[in-house]
Amino acid sequence: VASVLKDHGMKQKKDDKGRFHLVLGGKNGSGIPFKRFAQLFKWDYGITPHCNFFRGFIWYHKREKMIQVLRGYSNETGWDADSHVPESFLFFPDSAEDSELDKFRVAFESSTKRSRDNIWILKPSETTRTEKVQVKDDFDEIMSYIQSKERAVPYVIQRYISNPLLLPGNRKFDLRYFCLIDHKLQAYIFPEGICRSCSSEYNMDNLCDQFAHLSSKKVQRKHKDFGAFEKNNEMSTEQFAKWYSAEFGESFDRQVAPQVKEIMARVVNSGKSKLENVGHADYSAFQLFAFDFLLDKESKVWFLEANATPEIHQTLTTEMANDIVEIAIKPIFEDLMGKASPKNIKRFEPLYEDELVSCNGNKK
């Protein structure tokens, strides 16, 4: 994005001292001086800076907060989140009254012990801490793990989807799609996603094997066979769609993609109010998120989580960067960069909740 901005005539500063109009923060918004926006920029400089992180992005990025906003959205709108998000329970190390361990115990004991339907995945708050994710089927082990003082972070205890669709080699995978939210809180989906695969064969008899159960590249790149099936354990959703169609005789674009779009739109709308009070903010912002989904053997799509600092596949970076500038930056700086035009947007597509189409073709 910085390179594209330079092509449009923007000059990059050597540091963040003094005044500036646009700042691109690092991981989790590092380097963005939000406090200065409210004080120095507003009153001394008369500038409303633009940046690539919303102050409230954690409501998508942190797993327990994402579950909380989805529940609130479901109560307000009637959308059945439980049909699209695995059954979840929250644990807060510093707040027993907010933790849902009693509810989890009931759910665990109501299912058959050691069965495929009674397996749980334990996810720490930060979506970037994939290596800390565990899969377990023993209640005491689960309690011992999340209550360990060594961890002391919120956890989401989620029912494990034990019937995932598998790639050749009986390998698990997930689907990652990218969503851009602009300064007006309009969401856009990048139509080409990434299928991220596991290196080991899916095996329910060994829940400790992260190489079989977690498709994150952060985990998989440590496997000796990383990249043996697909380069970097990744393929485009276009490639995946061809395999899916050949394997099952169904259209990915009709069967799977509409579910992805619907869930993404619902998730985005569930947390919009948490991002920022746009009309009264002392800055403006845009942000790119990654949304991860699991596809089960019935071709049902499940939402797993959102990531605020996603790694982007090399083949997508140029097109994505150009579109981000056109959609989310150029409208703020038209005097310098010229007027934005929908004709210049190559790939991102607007995501409107009231135009969603269900899998059977009926508008919702």
Side-chain angles (χ1 to χ4, degrees):
V1 171
S3 177
V4 176
L5 290 173
K6 290 178 182 178
D7 292 340
H8 280 278
M10 279 200 166
K11 296 180 180 180
Q12 185 172 358
K13 295 190 63 176
K14 294 181 180 180
D15 53 49
D16 63 354
K17 295 179 181 178
R19 66 184 67 195
F20 50 81
H21 293 84
L22 171 68
V23 57
L24 301 178
K27 183 177 179 180
N28 293 338
S30 62
I32 300 179
F34 285 111
K35 290 183 178 179
R36 288 175 59 200
F37 292 170
Q39 302 163 6
L40 192 62
F41 276 74
K42 183 176 183 179
W43 302 109
D44 293 358
Y45 297 160
I47 294 175
T48 302
H50 196 47
C51 61
N52 64 328
F53 276 82
F54 290 96
R55 193 176 276 144
F57 76 90
I58 60 172
W59 288 95
Y60 292 125
H61 182 67
K62 292 196 172 183
R63 293 179 171 110
E64 81 284 0
K65 291 185 178 297
M66 184 79 266
I67 295 298
Q68 289 173 324
V69 296
L70 280 171
R71 288 174 177 175
Y73 177 81
S74 294
N75 292 335
E76 292 173 6
T77 65
W79 182 64
D80 186 9
D82 292 339
S83 295
H84 306 281
V85 182
E87 185 178 9
S88 305
F89 301 91
L90 308 182
F91 168 72
F92 299 94
D94 300 322
S95 181
E97 60 183 20
D98 293 323
S99 294
E100 300 172 340
L101 297 186
D102 289 340
K103 292 181 180 178
F104 168 62
R105 181 187 290 273
V106 171
F108 187 93
E109 293 179 350
S110 65
S111 301
T112 305
K113 290 185 178 181
R114 305 289 183 179
S115 71
R116 292 175 67 94
D117 294 328
N118 206 16
I119 297 172
W120 302 82
I121 185 166
L122 319 179
K123 301 179 179 181
S125 174
E126 291 283 348
T127 55
T128 53
R129 300 179 65 183
T130 313
E131 73 281 1
K132 301 294 184 182
V133 173
Q134 298 285 313
V135 181
K136 296 183 179 295
D137 62 357
D138 182 271
F139 183 84
D140 292 334
E141 285 186 16
I142 293 172
M143 291 296 99
S144 176
Y145 186 83
I146 64 172
Q147 292 176 331
S148 169
K149 293 181 179 180
E150 296 177 2
R151 280 168 272 279
V153 297
Y155 263 81
V156 174
I157 308 171
Q158 206 164 61
R159 193 180 292 276
Y160 191 56
I161 304 299
S162 58
N163 65 329
L165 190 66
L166 300 177
L167 291 171
N170 291 323
R171 294 172 301 119
K172 189 180 174 184
F173 66 92
D174 68 15
L175 299 175
R176 167 165 284 191
Y177 280 86
F178 298 94
C179 176
L180 174 66
I181 302 179
D182 70 11
H183 65 291
K184 294 181 180 180
L185 299 187
Q186 169 62 53
Y188 299 79
I189 182 174
F190 198 80
E192 183 178 345
I194 298 296
C195 172
R196 308 186 305 167
S197 62
C198 288
S199 302
S200 295
E201 184 175 348
Y202 184 65
N203 182 3
M204 293 299 289
D205 294 327
N206 185 4
L207 301 181
C208 295
D209 185 1
Q210 291 189 321
F211 299 123
H213 296 283
L214 307 179
S215 53
S216 166
K217 187 189 289 188
K218 190 173 184 179
V219 171
Q220 294 300 324
R221 61 164 51 107
K222 299 175 184 177
H223 194 278
K224 62 181 179 64
D225 292 329
F226 177 69
F229 292 92
E230 302 87 20
K231 183 179 180 180
N232 294 323
N233 279 42
E234 294 177 333
M235 71 172 101
S236 69
T237 49
E238 183 178 350
Q239 293 171 302
F240 175 80
K242 291 179 181 178
W243 171 81
Y244 178 86
S245 178
E247 188 76 9
F248 303 104
E250 298 178 351
S251 168
F252 179 87
D253 289 339
R254 289 196 298 268
Q255 183 68 25
V256 180
Q259 296 183 68
V260 168
K261 289 183 178 180
E262 177 186 354
I263 296 172
M264 181 182 287
R266 302 291 185 182
V267 173
V268 168
N269 283 331
S270 73
K272 272 186 179 180
S273 63
K274 299 289 189 179
L275 288 177
E276 190 66 60
N277 188 352
V278 176
H280 300 86
D282 43 45
Y283 73 104
S284 61
F286 67 95
Q287 191 161 351
L288 182 71
F289 292 90
F291 285 69
D292 295 338
F293 302 90
L294 184 140
L295 189 61
D296 69 19
K297 287 183 177 179
E298 306 301 321
S299 290
K300 178 178 175 58
V301 174
W302 295 89
F303 172 63
L304 301 179
E305 60 196 33
N307 192 308
T309 55
E311 183 178 349
I312 301 172
H313 196 278
Q314 275 188 324
T315 60
L316 305 180
T317 52
T318 300
E319 286 185 321
M320 197 174 285
N322 284 320
D323 276 6
I324 288 173
V325 170
E326 196 68 32
I327 294 169
I329 299 178
K330 205 171 180 180
I332 303 294
F333 302 105
E334 287 187 343
D335 290 344
L336 173 64
M337 304 175 68
K339 193 169 184 178
S341 171
K343 295 180 181 179
N344 295 330
I345 300 171
K346 306 300 182 184
R347 301 295 303 275
F348 273 104
E349 301 171 355
L351 195 62
Y352 298 113
E353 186 179 31
D354 58 357
E355 294 182 4
L356 293 173
V357 177
S358 65
C359 296
N360 60 14
N362 297 323
K363 190 171 272 193
K364 294 194 171 188

